[in-house]
Amino acid sequence: PDLSSGINAEYGGHHLKDALVSLTLVAQDYYFYTAYELFQAMDGHGTDEGTLTRIIVTRADKDLKLIKEKYAELSDKDLAQKVHDDTSGDYRKTLLSLIN
């Protein structure tokens, strides 16, 4: 079993579990974890604009390139298309200009 499975087994429903699992995921594959955060921010009803802004605005171009590749593994849409679908106006234009 991997480290995340061990943490889940040991800490069960404890909120410390979520922090430890996140930490191990970041350590294992930072770009996948970041893509997963973006996926979660746009999954279902509503959009977590704070997470979108934090991730997209603060990442370097080379990081965003790798994050986009990992996002494509998680979703049936590429990151730019999903951002386009989930945002509007100047906010959409700004995010898309950074992604592309």
Side-chain angles (χ1 to χ4, degrees), residues 1-76:
D2 65 359
L3 187 54
S4 296
S5 297
I7 290 169
N8 280 322
E10 182 68 28
Y11 291 98
H14 198 276
H15 50 271
L16 177 61
K17 172 197 72 142
D18 295 334
L20 291 171
V21 168
S22 294
L23 185 59
T24 60
L25 291 174
V26 169
Q28 290 172 355
D29 189 339
Y30 167 77
Y31 299 108
F32 181 82
Y33 177 75
T34 305
Y36 181 74
E37 281 191 310
L38 288 169
F39 180 82
Q40 290 291 102
M42 295 182 282
D43 190 35
H45 184 68
T47 300
D48 181 351
E49 292 179 351
T51 297
L52 287 182
T53 302
R54 177 179 52 83
I55 292 173
I56 293 171
V57 171
T58 62
R59 299 309 185 264
D61 288 342
K62 70 176 191 163
D63 290 337
L64 277 175
K65 180 181 183 294
L66 294 169
I67 291 166
K68 287 191 300 187
E69 291 171 7
K70 295 294 183 174
Y71 188 88
E73 296 174 16
L74 293 170
S75 178
D76 58 342

Side-chain angles (χ1 to χ4, degrees), residues 73-86:
E73 296 174 16
L74 293 170
S75 178
D76 58 342
K77 292 185 179 180
D78 70 9
L79 181 59
Q81 183 61 51
K82 187 63 175 166
V83 167
H84 181 274
D85 293 349
D86 278 35

